[in-house]
Each structure stands twice: as C-alpha cells, then as structure tokens.
Amino acid sequence: MLESLKEEVLQANLELPKKGLVTYTWGNVSGIDRSKGLIVIKPSGVPYDEMTINDLVVIDLKGNIVEGHLNPSSDAPTHVVLYDKFPDICGVVHNHSSWATTWAQAGRRIPALGTTHADYFYGYIPVTREMNSDEIQGQYEEQTGKVIVETFKEYNPMDMPGVIVRNHGPFTWGKNASEAVHNAVVLEEIAKMAYHAYQLTPGLEPISDVLLDKHFFRKHGKDAYYGQK
Amino acid sequence: MLESLKEEVLQANLELPKKGLVTYTWGNVSGIDRSKGLIVIKPSGVPYDEMTINDLVVIDLKGNIVEGHLNPSSDAPTHVVLYDKFPDICGVVHNHSSWATTWAQAGRRIPALGTTHADYFYGYIPVTREMNSDEIQGQYEEQTGKVIVETFKEYNPMDMPGVIVRNHGPFTWGKNASEAVHNAVVLEEIAKMAYHAYQLTPGLEPISDVLLDKHFFRKHGKDAYYGQK
Amino acid sequence: MLESLKEEVLQANLELPKKGLVTYTWGNVSGIDRSKGLIVIKPSGVPYDEMTINDLVVIDLKGNIVEGHLNPSSDAPTHVVLYDKFPDICGVVHNHSSWATTWAQAGRRIPALGTTHADYFYGYIPVTREMNSDEIQGQYEEQTGKVIVETFKEYNPMDMPGVIVRNHGPFTWGKNASEAVHNAVVLEEIAKMAYHAYQLTPGLEPISDVLLDKHFFRKHGKDAYYGQK
Amino acid sequence: MLESLKEEVLQANLELPKKGLVTYTWGNVSGIDRSKGLIVIKPSGVPYDEMTINDLVVIDLKGNIVEGHLNPSSDAPTHVVLYDKFPDICGVVHNHSSWATTWAQAGRRIPALGTTHADYFYGYIPVTREMNSDEIQGQYEEQTGKVIVETFKEYNPMDMPGVIVRNHGPFTWGKNASEAVHNAVVLEEIAKMAYHAYQLTPGLEPISDVLLDKHFFRKHGKDAYYGQK
C-alpha cells in the first residue's frame, strides 16, 4: 500500500545525509496521504545507508502502526500532532542540523536579516517555549507537537514552514516530504548566515516589511513570478 | 544563435554549485555578445543538474526575450542594467553564497585586510544603500541594478568587479561569464577571511595603499607580472 | 590471534578519517578482549590509507607488546590505564578533532545545552585538570590516563563516554571500538554546536535535569525506547 | 634534469588543492637539490589540474631560470631567499589558506594553545613586521624573504617550520617539499583551532614550557619516540 508515497518518503529521508543535515540517524522524514489519513515515516534508529522501502512504517493519525515490521521514529507522535493540527501540510522533517540546532540551544528565534530568509519564511522563525516537567515526563513527543502548535497561534504554517524547538532542534514541513526537506536545507543555511551576521554586527534589526513582502510574494501566492509557470 | 556564448554561460552556471556557491537554484550567470547587444542568461528556478544548453534564455538590452522557451532569471533586469551602464563587463553573476551574504545581511562593506583581497578588488568592496519602498514595490530588480550603478559613482567596475547588495547578496562581473564566476569565488573566500580576521581583532584597519597598489597591479594593467604572458 | 577483534579495530580506525576526525595520523583506536586481557591498537604514526590488519599491535594490560612488528600508538599507556580502571569499556579512541580540541585548548568542560548532548552524555563532559611537571616529564601517557580516572571519581564512564584532556584533545570510549568511534563523532558535533550556541548567547545555562534525564534514558537503560529491540 | 625532484615537487603542488589549502592558483611549492644548488618551482598562474611535470621551472639560487618554458611563481624570489638563508630546509610552500591567512590579516602570531601545536611548532608561530614602502615598491618578493629571515633571528627554522607573513599569508618549509606541505596542512588546522579557542576564552595563555617540550621532543630530536624507527 501507499507505494508511491513510500518511495517519496524514502527519497526524502535519503536526501538528509546527502545534504549534510544529519549525523548518524539524527533525523526523520514523513509524508501523509490525506485521503486515507495514513502517514509513512522512517523507522527508529535505522542507518540511512541500510534503509530500504520495506523498512518504512505506516501509522494512522492516532499513531497506531498500520503496516511495518519496525518501530516508527520515536518522534512519530510529534509528526502526528503536526499533521492533525496543520491540515495543509503533507510532509514533515525533524533533524539536528548544526546551525539550526545552535539557535535551538541558544533558545532564540531567527530574524529575517536578508532576502534569502524572506524568500521562504515570512518573518521571524519562531522558537518554542521551554517545556515543563509534566510535559517532558509525560507523553513527551506528543507534547512537543502541542508546544509547536501553541507557538503557531499567530503563524500560518504555510507561510512559516518551520520552527525551532527550544533546546532540541528544528522541525520543517511543506506540501509534501520533498518540500519539507527543501525547507530543512534552507533553514540550515539561513541559520548559518544569521549567526554570522549577528557576530559581525550584534543587535542587527530585521529587514523592512516592504522587502520581506516583496521577496516572500515573489515566490508565494497568486502574484508569484519566480521560476516557471 | 550565440552557440559559443551559450556554451560558456552554461559552463559558468554549472561552476556555481561545483564551487559550493549555491544552495538549490540560488544563483544565476549571464554573458553578453556586445556586437549583437544580446544577453544569454540562466532560466528562472531551474535546478543546475537538470539544465541544458537549450534552457538558456536570450534577451536584449531592454530585457525582452529574443529566444528561449523558459522565463529568464527573475534577476535578469538587474543584469541588463549592469550591462547597459558598465560597458566593459561581459559577464555577470548573482548568488547568495554564505559569507558574502553574511556581509550583505550585516549591511557592511568589506575592507581590504590582506593581499588576497588586493589581488582582485582595488579597495573596499562596497555595499549598496538601503532601497526605499518605491524602489522595492516598483520595478524591483531593475532598481537593484540602478542602486548598484549609483554605488559605483566613485568606482571603476573593472577595478572593483563586485558589490554587496544590502540585505540581499553579492553581484560580481568580469570580462566574460567565466571571469565573473571566478570573481564570485574569490569574493566568497575574501568575505570569509575578513569575517574571521575581524572576530580575532575587532576594528582592524585596511592594508596600506602602497601594499594595495603593489598587489592589484601585480595582476592588473600594463605592468602586471603575475602569471604567463 | 584475535582476528575478529583486529578486523573491528581496523575498521574503527579507518572510520576516523572517513568521518573527518583526523588530520594525518592524529588519532588512534583500540579494542580489548576482556577474557584474554589483550588489547589491539593502532601502530604509531602509520598513515590510515597504508595501514593493514597486520600492522595492528597486540599488547597486554601492562602495555607489553604480545604480537606485532611495529610500535603501538604512543598513547597506548593511556588506553591501558582506561581499560584497567573502567572495567565496562571495551573500546577507546583518542584524536585531535577540531571542535573537541578547541574546548581542550580553552580548558573548559562542555555543558549539556541541548537534547543532542543529552542523548549520549549524561551532563557536563568533563575536562581534566592541568598536569604538573612531574606527571608530564615522567610516564606522561600513563599519567594522562590517571588524570582521566581521577576526573571520573564522580562520573560513571558508561554514562559519560568521553572526556576532554586539557590542552590536548578528547578521549572517548564505549562497549566496543565501533561505539567508541561513534561517541567521538558525536562529541565533535556536540562540541561544535555548544561553541556556536555560546557565541550566540554567552553565559547560557545547561538544560534542566528533567530534560537531560528524559533524553538520556530514551536511549539508555531498561526503559529505553529509541531504536529497535 | 632533476627528474625525481620534479616528480616530488609536482606531487607536493598537487597535494595543496587535495588538502583544501588553495583557491584557484593561490599557492606554490618548491624543492631544492642542495648538491646542485638548483630549485624546482611551480610556474606562475597555472591551474593545478592542467599542470604537468614539464611545466615546472628550474631556477638557481640567484633566481635565474635554468630550465623551463614558463615563468616561475611570482613568489620565487621569496623561496630563493629562504633557501639561501635557511641551509637546512629543502622544501618551501606558500599559500593563502583560510585560517592561517586570517591570522596574517589580523597581524597576530599564533600561540601554542595545545599539544597539536607543540607536536610541530616549538612556541609561538611568528608573524612578520609590516613592510615599509621602499620594501614593497622595490624587489617586493625578495624583501618578503628578507623580512621572514629578520623575524627568525630568535628562531631555528627547523624547530619552527613556518611563519605568518603579515597582511599576506603563511610560508612553511621542511626537509623536503612533501614535509613543507605537511607543515602547511598542520599550520592551517592549528590556526583554525587557536582561532576558535580564543573566541571561546579570550586572553588564553600558551601551554607551559614543560608540556611544549614534552610534545615537541616526542616527535623531534634524538629522544623522539613517536612513530616507527
């Protein structure tokens, strides 16, 4: 079942080490078939270079395993919450990429300091609040998803396709697994450049709303004119 | 038409990912045939590893498409302004390379801190002023070109083959597309070393004019003695 | 003798340059057969790309050469002390990887700033005290081992599989040579991210004990649920 | 003539891009046959991937071309001075590697902050003084050599196989071209780690003389015990 989704999710997972975003097994990608309500996700702790399409796990929107001989990623409950609450997203990535995780460890949101950022993320890339003991000691991965959703009260997930989970690392998403990985790569590069711009000039202010709008809407929405039709 | 120029522009574009200057499609190279007044430029948003010579777009100095089945780079109007106002340049590169973009985001020009810089760029590599709302909301890419030209009132574009567009990223140029890419690679390396030298010793002064002259004119002008005849 | 251990130690040594942890011959891996009390270790100063299984050296727990035509790593006496005093470890790595060595040169322990750290190292990764003249001028490599052991009075080596030797570089270990290398790779990545997080926000505090416990015990001990059974 | 020296110098030159030390043609290696007083050196401005053994240039200790159809490296006069004044060295490298050049641009010597440094360089790696206008406008490359020699009044070139030329970049040397490249690689790595250690803890002091002696003499002199006999 879900063969083409599995193939896409496999390729999206393999893209993570190819782009230098993961050390060992520190990342996972999933995709969802919205019509069936089924998610395909990486198995937990399986090395990328040994993983085959048959190792992928199919779960439903309650997190139950529907198909597969391995445990799903331990982060699966976070993916489930995101799919449940963000109905437009159809792919999710979690990883511990160096620069995005640096911002997570510093507990800071990433301001839009340039057009590279504005092309993809419409404003500050938010950082989640600290989780409390009950959340951590309870259903931790599910709670992580809930804290992300809480952070997005003021954000449209399609205009802001990623988040920094405090003390942890980034989650990104998109209209499919491949776009979610694309956004993970972009977030890492943006995080790197924002870090260095801040070191060069501490206290930098974000770019103007006019420039932010210009670049975001060059690539998004009905008046987009970047790329081919 | 323009087959040899197209081949050169294709190779110059492919050099960008090979040298690590671009993430995804974040860059574009063009070249001009001055006798015909025609520019060959990368199509917009096409991945480098899928691009063939037939995907390149030919435009004239008003930005009109003369040949090609795809949209030209969304930055084409900037290239057009540069070719129009800098008559000696025959190749242009734009990208979002990490270190040069870091300086763009910090809104700072790059001082000549060493001979590596002086071998290629004759003094501070300038940063453009902030663009105003009218410029951004109007013909943005054309206005970007005009702001670069405004910045070069005091510069000879052949002595200073690049610029940092504030909050955006670098443009470089040269006597052909290949040299424009060469200068993009050099700018990135210079931006990296200047960043780190500043972190090591904040407030560093540029090298002396005597040393700047020595190195620049080792490689440029009638008394150059670097390389082979 | 010890053919399968030699094969494992050879592969573990070759993993060091593959993961970018060593320049030239700046690293060494060993493994021990606890039943025989024999250690297999890299020969001193032999380039990785020339090393074969026959170049490995077998030594006993007094550091005497039992088999081999080459000198063992000059750091062998440190490995011997660690195997002697930490009875649960069966693999040891020493290297001069860039980021971990940066912390060694700064003489600072690495705080747990995020879950990536907490997944592997249960708290601060300690730094050894400065060695005195007698220790340095005497049996230096053996004394290095003793200073590590002294540092671990308050640590369980299986909960803290690595240390920063002050002014020198990291040692890591594990239940076999392969896991020791795995921990060396993780330490390097953690050291890199902790460095950058500190630059972004000086004076950062470690994560809470609750979050540290959650992540460490997701991967360790009887209630671990990361990976496959 | 000098075929085996040419082969060694060719390989040593090709090692520079392989180790990531050069951008384009920003580096050169030479070797000397002391019995004949002849130097083999890279031609000026020739790309590494096009260079063949026949492109190498033979010069004498006055800098005159003895054999070769190309101009020697523009830095040849510096190499000549070093061979003339440092009689024990038989290989020289100049490059603009990122981290060593960062220190050159900051005009700072590199302190021995750890054992990695002490294994190769016996104390501070010196930085040359600023050159004056007469030196720069006169026989610049020869004067560069003389300023290096002046810097080495207090240093033994075999104990300190490299120098940072202020505002320029590193020179390294050794008992042959291959060792000179080895030292260039080590200098770059040391420069990188010292930079980061200083950022982590500004004002760090060098390691003790006892530790410096221990490590330097583990690898050098009659009591060396690192490596194989």
Side-chain angles (χ1 to χ4, degrees):
Chain A
M1 63 195 287
L2 301 172
E3 288 310 308
S4 76
L5 180 59
K6 283 180 186 170
E7 184 59 35
E8 189 202 330
V9 170
L10 178 66
Q11 292 310 321
N13 271 288
L14 296 177
E15 192 74 2
L16 291 184
K18 216 179 290 172
K19 293 290 186 187
L21 295 194
V22 294
T23 300
Y24 293 119
T25 60
W26 302 356
N28 43 75
V29 185
S30 69
I32 190 169
D33 180 325
R34 285 282 177 193
S35 67
K36 299 198 172 75
L38 294 176
I39 298 162
V40 174
I41 192 166
K42 182 179 178 295
S44 183
V46 172
Y48 289 97
D49 54 2
E50 298 173 7
M51 187 170 49
T52 70
I53 199 163
N54 294 320
D55 295 331
L56 297 175
V57 184
V58 180
I59 58 176
D60 64 22
L61 277 163
K62 302 218 176 297
N64 300 311
I65 298 182
V66 175
E67 188 192 86
H69 61 288
L70 294 169
N71 295 336
S73 165
S74 56
D75 299 306
T78 316
H79 293 238
V80 167
V81 172
L82 296 179
Y83 285 123
D84 188 38
K85 298 298 185 188
F86 298 166
D88 294 335
I89 72 175
C90 295
V92 171
V93 173
H94 171 53
N95 66 53
H96 293 233
S97 61
S98 292
W99 294 103
T101 303
T102 290
W103 286 85
Q105 295 194 162
R108 291 173 60 169
R109 61 184 182 168
I110 305 179
L113 298 178
T115 60
T116 325
H117 182 124
D119 280 337
Y120 290 88
F121 296 91
Y122 192 49
Y124 282 97
I125 300 169
V127 64
T128 58
R129 65 165 169 79
E130 218 170 309
M131 292 171 75
N132 64 39
S133 299
D134 285 350
E135 290 166 338
I136 293 169
Q137 292 171 334
Q139 300 301 311
Y140 171 65
E141 291 82 4
E142 183 186 343
Q143 294 296 338
T144 300
K146 288 187 176 171
V147 171
I148 294 173
V149 171
E150 177 189 320
T151 306
F152 270 67
K153 270 181 199 157
E154 305 155 31
Y155 285 96
N156 174 344
M158 296 313 280
D159 290 349
M160 181 54 63
V163 68
I164 305 287
V165 176
R166 188 180 290 255
N167 296 136
H168 192 145
F171 278 81
T172 57
W173 46 78
K175 65 175 192 280
N176 53 43
S178 164
E179 191 179 276
V181 171
H182 190 108
N183 289 332
V185 171
V186 172
L187 172 53
E188 180 66 359
E189 181 63 18
I190 285 172
K192 178 185 177 186
M193 297 197 296
Y195 168 87
H196 288 115
Y198 261 126
Q199 294 299 112
L200 200 51
T201 303
L204 273 179
E205 288 297 312
I207 57 174
S208 69
D209 286 351
V210 176
L211 189 58
L212 180 68
D213 283 353
K214 176 70 194 179
H215 270 266
F216 190 76
F217 295 114
R218 277 211 316 183
K219 288 202 168 183
H220 298 83
K222 68 178 174 44
D223 296 326
Y225 60 92
Y226 182 92
Q228 308 299 327
K229 296 294 162 275
Chain B
M1 63 194 290
L2 300 173
E3 289 310 308
S4 76
L5 180 59
K6 283 181 185 169
E7 184 59 36
E8 189 201 328
V9 170
L10 178 66
Q11 292 309 322
N13 271 289
L14 296 178
E15 192 74 3
L16 291 184
K18 217 180 288 173
K19 292 291 186 188
L21 295 194
V22 295
T23 300
Y24 292 118
T25 60
W26 302 356
N28 44 74
V29 185
S30 70
I32 190 169
D33 181 326
R34 286 283 178 192
S35 67
K36 299 198 174 75
L38 294 176
I39 298 163
V40 174
I41 191 165
K42 181 178 179 294
S44 183
V46 173
Y48 290 96
D49 54 2
E50 297 173 7
M51 188 170 47
T52 70
I53 198 162
N54 295 319
D55 295 331
L56 296 176
V57 185
V58 181
I59 59 176
D60 64 22
L61 277 163
K62 301 218 176 295
N64 300 311
I65 299 181
V66 174
E67 190 191 85
H69 61 287
L70 294 170
N71 296 336
S73 165
S74 56
D75 298 306
T78 316
H79 292 239
V80 167
V81 172
L82 296 179
Y83 286 123
D84 189 38
K85 299 297 184 188
F86 297 165
D88 294 335
I89 72 175
C90 296
V92 170
V93 173
H94 171 53
N95 65 53
H96 293 233
S97 61
S98 293
W99 294 103
T101 304
T102 290
W103 287 84
Q105 295 193 162
R108 291 173 61 168
R109 61 184 182 169
I110 305 178
L113 298 178
T115 61
T116 325
H117 182 124
D119 280 337
Y120 291 88
F121 297 91
Y122 191 48
Y124 281 97
I125 300 169
V127 64
T128 58
R129 65 165 169 79
E130 216 170 311
M131 292 171 74
N132 63 40
S133 299
D134 286 350
E135 291 166 337
I136 293 168
Q137 292 171 333
Q139 300 301 311
Y140 171 64
E141 291 82 4
E142 183 186 343
Q143 294 296 338
T144 300
K146 289 187 175 171
V147 170
I148 294 173
V149 171
E150 177 190 319
T151 307
F152 269 67
K153 271 182 198 156
E154 305 154 32
Y155 285 96
N156 175 344
M158 296 314 280
D159 290 349
M160 181 54 62
V163 68
I164 304 288
V165 176
R166 187 181 291 255
N167 297 137
H168 193 148
F171 278 81
T172 58
W173 47 78
K175 65 174 192 280
N176 53 44
S178 164
E179 191 179 276
V181 172
H182 189 107
N183 289 331
V185 172
V186 172
L187 172 54
E188 180 66 359
E189 181 64 16
I190 285 172
K192 179 184 177 186
M193 297 197 296
Y195 168 88
H196 288 115
Y198 261 127
Q199 295 300 113
L200 200 50
T201 304
L204 272 178
E205 288 297 312
I207 57 174
S208 69
D209 287 350
V210 176
L211 189 58
L212 181 67
D213 283 353
K214 176 69 194 179
H215 270 266
F216 190 75
F217 295 113
R218 278 211 317 183
K219 288 204 168 182
H220 299 85
K222 67 177 174 47
D223 295 326
Y225 59 91
Y226 182 93
Q228 309 299 327
K229 297 291 161 281
Chain C
M1 63 193 290
L2 301 172
E3 288 311 308
S4 76
L5 180 59
K6 283 181 185 169
E7 184 58 34
E8 189 201 330
V9 170
L10 178 67
Q11 292 310 321
N13 271 289
L14 296 178
E15 192 73 3
L16 292 183
K18 217 179 289 173
K19 293 291 186 188
L21 295 194
V22 295
T23 299
Y24 293 118
T25 60
W26 302 356
N28 44 74
V29 185
S30 70
I32 190 169
D33 181 326
R34 285 282 176 193
S35 67
K36 299 198 172 74
L38 294 176
I39 297 163
V40 174
I41 192 166
K42 183 180 177 294
S44 182
V46 173
Y48 289 96
D49 53 2
E50 298 172 8
M51 188 170 48
T52 69
I53 199 163
N54 295 320
D55 296 330
L56 296 176
V57 185
V58 180
I59 58 177
D60 64 22
L61 277 163
K62 302 220 175 293
N64 300 312
I65 298 182
V66 174
E67 188 191 85
H69 61 288
L70 295 169
N71 296 335
S73 165
S74 56
D75 299 306
T78 316
H79 292 239
V80 166
V81 171
L82 296 178
Y83 285 123
D84 189 37
K85 299 297 184 188
F86 298 165
D88 293 335
I89 73 175
C90 296
V92 171
V93 174
H94 171 52
N95 65 53
H96 293 233
S97 61
S98 293
W99 294 103
T101 304
T102 290
W103 287 84
Q105 295 193 162
R108 291 173 61 168
R109 61 184 182 170
I110 305 178
L113 298 178
T115 60
T116 324
H117 182 124
D119 280 337
Y120 290 88
F121 297 92
Y122 192 48
Y124 281 98
I125 300 169
V127 63
T128 58
R129 65 164 169 79
E130 217 170 311
M131 293 171 73
N132 63 40
S133 298
D134 285 350
E135 290 166 338
I136 293 169
Q137 291 171 333
Q139 300 301 311
Y140 171 64
E141 291 82 3
E142 183 186 344
Q143 295 296 339
T144 300
K146 288 187 176 171
V147 171
I148 294 174
V149 171
E150 177 189 320
T151 306
F152 270 67
K153 270 181 198 157
E154 305 154 31
Y155 284 96
N156 175 345
M158 296 313 280
D159 290 349
M160 182 53 63
V163 68
I164 305 288
V165 176
R166 187 180 290 255
N167 297 136
H168 193 146
F171 279 81
T172 58
W173 47 78
K175 65 175 193 280
N176 53 43
S178 164
E179 191 180 276
V181 171
H182 190 107
N183 288 331
V185 171
V186 172
L187 172 54
E188 179 66 359
E189 181 63 17
I190 285 172
K192 177 184 177 186
M193 296 196 297
Y195 168 87
H196 288 116
Y198 261 127
Q199 295 299 112
L200 200 52
T201 304
L204 272 179
E205 289 296 312
I207 57 172
S208 69
D209 287 350
V210 175
L211 189 58
L212 181 67
D213 282 354
K214 177 69 194 181
H215 270 266
F216 190 75
F217 296 113
R218 276 209 320 180
K219 287 203 168 183
H220 298 84
K222 66 176 175 48
D223 295 327
Y225 60 92
Y226 182 92
Q228 309 299 326
K229 297 290 160 278
Chain D
M1 61 193 290
L2 301 172
E3 289 310 308
S4 76
L5 180 59
K6 283 181 187 169
E7 184 58 36
E8 189 201 329
V9 169
L10 178 67
Q11 292 310 320
N13 270 290
L14 296 178
E15 192 74 3
L16 291 184
K18 217 179 289 173
K19 293 290 187 189
L21 294 194
V22 294
T23 299
Y24 293 118
T25 60
W26 302 356
N28 45 74
V29 185
S30 70
I32 190 169
D33 181 324
R34 286 282 177 192
S35 67
K36 300 198 172 74
L38 294 177
I39 298 162
V40 174
I41 191 165
K42 183 179 177 294
S44 182
V46 173
Y48 290 96
D49 55 1
E50 298 172 8
M51 187 170 48
T52 69
I53 198 162
N54 294 320
D55 296 330
L56 296 175
V57 185
V58 180
I59 58 176
D60 64 23
L61 276 163
K62 301 218 177 296
N64 300 312
I65 298 182
V66 174
E67 189 191 86
H69 61 287
L70 295 170
N71 295 336
S73 165
S74 57
D75 298 306
T78 316
H79 291 239
V80 167
V81 172
L82 296 179
Y83 285 123
D84 189 38
K85 299 297 184 189
F86 298 165
D88 294 335
I89 72 174
C90 295
V92 170
V93 173
H94 171 54
N95 65 52
H96 294 232
S97 61
S98 292
W99 294 102
T101 303
T102 290
W103 287 83
Q105 296 194 163
R108 291 173 61 168
R109 61 184 182 169
I110 306 178
L113 298 178
T115 60
T116 324
H117 182 124
D119 280 337
Y120 290 88
F121 296 92
Y122 191 47
Y124 281 97
I125 300 170
V127 64
T128 58
R129 65 164 168 80
E130 216 170 310
M131 292 171 75
N132 64 38
S133 299
D134 285 351
E135 290 166 338
I136 292 168
Q137 291 170 334
Q139 299 301 312
Y140 172 64
E141 290 83 4
E142 183 185 344
Q143 294 296 338
T144 300
K146 289 187 175 171
V147 171
I148 294 173
V149 171
E150 178 189 318
T151 306
F152 270 67
K153 270 181 199 156
E154 307 153 30
Y155 285 95
N156 175 344
M158 296 313 280
D159 290 350
M160 181 54 63
V163 67
I164 305 288
V165 176
R166 187 180 291 255
N167 297 136
H168 193 147
F171 279 81
T172 58
W173 45 78
K175 65 174 194 279
N176 52 43
S178 164
E179 191 179 276
V181 171
H182 190 107
N183 288 331
V185 172
V186 172
L187 172 54
E188 180 66 0
E189 181 63 18
I190 284 172
K192 179 185 177 186
M193 296 197 297
Y195 168 88
H196 288 115
Y198 261 127
Q199 295 298 113
L200 201 50
T201 303
L204 273 179
E205 289 296 312
I207 58 173
S208 69
D209 286 350
V210 175
L211 188 58
L212 180 67
D213 282 353
K214 176 70 195 178
H215 270 265
F216 190 75
F217 295 113
R218 277 211 316 183
K219 287 203 168 182
H220 297 84
K222 66 177 174 48
D223 296 326
Y225 60 92
Y226 182 92
Q228 309 300 325
K229 298 288 162 278

